[in-house]
Amino acid sequence: MGPLVVQNNQLFGVTTNGGSGDAGLVFGFDIATGSFEVFSQLQPNTGIKPAAALTVAGQRIFGTTEQGGAFGQGSIFSFAIGSTDLTYHRQFNASEAGHFVPLTYANDKLYGVSHEGGVDNKSIVYSIDADGTNYQVVLDQYAFYTGEPYPGDIITGLTWGYDRFWTTTRSSSDGTASGTMFCFKADG
């Protein structure tokens, strides 16, 4: 889903459906030769149904899945440019669910949003190093915002600019907020 990414004269992308069990595919297209290659047919035990575009981070391309994996909540995967072998870095649990937006690459880390994660399923922002290690929660939206009314869940991606991340929230389900835009620094 989402736009293709371009690296070294190749296009890379994912499909939410297709492949074995209609679980989704990771694919590449060589612009120079016109050849199309399926890198992986995603599997339930590692992660299925990618719902966000891929992200280039150095010499690797990262993606997330919405479902499957050890806890049924999706996963983070990557592959080296020039390789078709997927590596799985994180199997999301129930407190980390909901991955509809692409990862954002900044400062040698990838940052993502779990719009159903954290306290009361109010959204978390997490990071993982560009080598696929050191996963950590950077921001728990519910714990971060203690005022009333609650500003709504983060459902958009993160934009890096002016030494901080920017994002927006949707309207709260109880109708007390119509959404907001805010920024935060990943290091506090």
Side-chain angles (χ1 to χ4, degrees), residues 81-159:
I81 295 169
S83 170
T84 60
D85 296 329
L86 265 61
T87 301
Y88 289 86
H89 303 287
R90 178 73 180 186
Q91 304 284 314
F92 294 118
N93 62 44
S95 69
E96 303 166 328
H99 304 276
F100 296 117
V101 297
L103 298 168
T104 299
Y105 181 57
N107 299 327
D108 294 322
K109 289 184 180 282
L110 293 119
Y111 294 85
V113 173
S114 166
H115 76 271
E116 296 172 6
V119 178
D120 288 342
N121 299 325
K122 299 292 188 189
S123 306
I124 61 169
V125 175
Y126 58 86
S127 70
I128 187 167
D129 290 349
D131 65 1
T133 62
N134 197 27
Y135 172 92
Q136 62 183 346
V137 173
V138 175
L139 172 77
D140 184 320
Q141 171 69 348
Y142 187 81
F144 170 74
Y145 188 83
T146 57
E148 292 296 332
Y150 175 71
D153 300 344
I154 302 169
I155 61 164
T156 62
L158 302 171
T159 300

Side-chain angles (χ1 to χ4, degrees), residues 10-99:
Q10 290 188 299
L11 300 170
F12 300 96
V14 293
T15 65
T16 300
N17 299 311
S20 177
D22 208 28
L25 301 170
V26 180
F27 64 88
F29 177 79
D30 188 305
I31 298 167
T33 66
S35 64
F36 178 86
E37 183 176 9
V38 173
F39 290 175
S40 180
Q41 296 187 43
L42 300 176
Q43 301 297 318
N45 61 329
T46 51
I48 60 173
K49 305 289 184 184
L54 299 171
T55 302
V56 177
Q59 291 302 305
R60 297 194 74 76
I61 297 179
F62 283 79
T64 59
T65 65
E66 177 64 23
Q67 300 172 19
F71 307 104
Q73 302 300 323
S75 60
I76 300 173
F77 66 87
S78 75
F79 56 94
I81 295 169
S83 170
T84 60
D85 296 329
L86 265 61
T87 301
Y88 289 86
H89 303 287
R90 178 73 180 186
Q91 304 284 314
F92 294 118
N93 62 44
S95 69
E96 303 166 328
H99 304 276

